[in-house]
Amino acid sequence: MAETIDSGVKILEVTKITPFTNAISEFSLPLTYFDTYWLKFPPVERLFFYEITDQQLTIDLFNSVILPKLNHSLSLTLLPYLPLAGNLMWPEDAPEPAIYYFENDGVSVTFAESNADFNILSGNGIRGALDLHPLTPQLSISDDKAAVIAIQVTLFPNQGFCIGISTHHAVLDGKSSTMFMKSWAYVCKQLANEESPDLLPEFTPCFDRSLIKDPEGLNVVYANHWLQTFPDSDSSPNRRSLKILPFPKPNSNLVRATFELTREGIKKLRNKVLSLIDKNEGRQAKELHLSTYVLTSAYVYVCLVKAKAEESNTGHGTEVKASDFMEENGVALVAEKLSDLINGLKGGVIEGSEDKIKTLMRAFNLGLTFLSVAGSNRFDVYWSDFGWGKPKKVEIVSIERTGAFSMAESRDGGGGGVEIGIVLQKPQMEVFAASFVDGLK
């Protein structure tokens, strides 16, 4: 029997998709220090909206054509992506958590139907942040076991459908999760020509952990940190618990909107930053890394701090006073800070890494405002075409819990622009929108 939940969404079925004709009964994959660092962070939740206008999208067409293709192609794609069908676990006799796959493991997939307005949910305008929650699959996470991914496919009759995917942050980063989506989309689209299409080389994952060197033993350091952060106690008897940190839950006061930064706007920002740096202090011999990613991040951070009227320090790998963001050269200052952080990576990603979690937890405990970004303008999320055209819209739902903003390439692809997702309280959103427009004049 269908279950009705918020926003007119009916759950039609919950099933498990297993890897296609898998001959492997057991499999394990250790995490690296790149992964263990994110062990306690919330899942990353993305929505891919697909509009279908060239045919009447009925429940019968959805059930007889679209779902079978999505299911079969997912099963085929999970075979080369086998760890995604498993679970993250941390046995008592293991010094670090790892991914374990056992026979008959698979991915939880929810099929649903919604009578909500597809165009509003997939649009750029201001709408309630909670409106996207019924489209977002819940990742199963307990003390003992955490799923790697969960998927939900929601039909909007005669409008389109939405694929929601939740991924564990310690297993998949933005690059690898979008690579999986593009792999699944490629296989699904190729089913029109082949029964079992092979992945292209650029979509084929590599799980060779020997390629990642860890001479300082950071993976153990990070694992031990999580053990020390959550020691045995009555409230948390299992210090190897895989439950996430207590990030604030989103509330009904939050709204979501999408902003676009064009190629011309990015060029204008670059010239403005260079002019301000020359005017105030000169570039000296410093090498500035003013990529589209850096310029977009710096500009959005300044608009966010103005919108929130922050009076405290903010954190993004470095601490900066909020008042500095308000200055005329605020964007230039933040761009320089981000450039310095990126240039610091050239000495090696391991240098100073041992204290990263301690610094992060200190900022978390002090209540500092985190400035962070989810996604990138180089992930090509709009290339995930399952055979019914590229997405009308891609959203990262989980930014409302972490305070990050989302970044993606513009849907037109070759335009060189950037799409920015923001979640704020409505009065703050109005200030952000005004600052975003005014700063580009």
Side-chain angles (χ1 to χ4, degrees), residues 196-334:
S196 299
D198 293 325
L199 287 180
L200 296 174
E202 60 265 33
F203 293 153
T204 304
C206 173
F207 301 119
D208 184 358
R209 294 314 204 206
S210 67
L211 297 175
I212 300 175
K213 308 302 179 184
D214 187 8
E216 305 297 326
L218 288 176
N219 196 32
V220 175
V221 170
Y222 289 167
N224 286 339
H225 170 81
W226 292 123
L227 291 177
Q228 294 163 9
T229 303
F230 299 95
D232 293 326
S233 67
D234 293 337
S235 60
S236 180
N238 179 10
R239 63 178 185 161
R240 280 177 165 77
S241 171
L242 296 171
K243 290 184 178 178
I244 64 173
L245 290 168
F247 278 77
K249 293 184 178 180
N251 57 63
S252 58
N253 295 326
L254 295 176
V255 295
R256 175 183 297 269
T258 303
F259 298 83
E260 295 189 58
L261 196 54
T262 64
R263 182 195 293 267
E264 291 72 25
I266 294 167
K267 182 178 180 181
K268 186 180 294 186
L269 278 177
R270 182 176 285 108
N271 292 335
K272 182 178 181 179
V273 167
L274 291 173
S275 175
L276 287 170
I277 291 175
D278 283 339
K279 174 183 176 182
N280 291 311
E281 59 187 65
R283 268 173 269 176
Q284 303 171 354
K286 179 187 292 186
E287 178 186 355
L288 289 175
H289 186 91
L290 298 181
S291 63
T292 296
Y293 182 91
V294 166
L295 290 167
T296 302
S297 298
Y299 188 60
V300 173
Y301 289 159
V302 168
C303 293
L304 280 173
V305 172
K306 290 179 179 178
K308 294 181 178 181
E310 298 286 358
E311 297 179 358
S312 60
N313 291 344
T314 58
H316 183 291
T318 184
E319 289 183 24
V320 183
K321 290 184 178 179
S323 57
D324 293 335
F325 288 72
M326 309 297 184
E327 302 293 333
E328 179 190 5
N329 65 334
V331 176
L333 170 67
V334 179

Side-chain angles (χ1 to χ4, degrees), residues 120-145:
I120 291 177
L121 293 179
S122 61
N124 289 347
I126 295 178
R127 61 262 194 227
L130 298 185
D131 293 348
L132 298 182
H133 283 208
L135 310 177
T136 308
Q138 297 299 304
L139 196 66
S140 175
I141 299 178
S142 66
D143 284 320
D144 304 319
K145 186 166 65 172

Side-chain angles (χ1 to χ4, degrees), residues 5 61 193 227 229 318 343 398 416 435:
I5 56 177
L61 178 65
N193 305 313
L227 291 177
T229 303
T318 184
N343 287 332
S398 47
S435 299

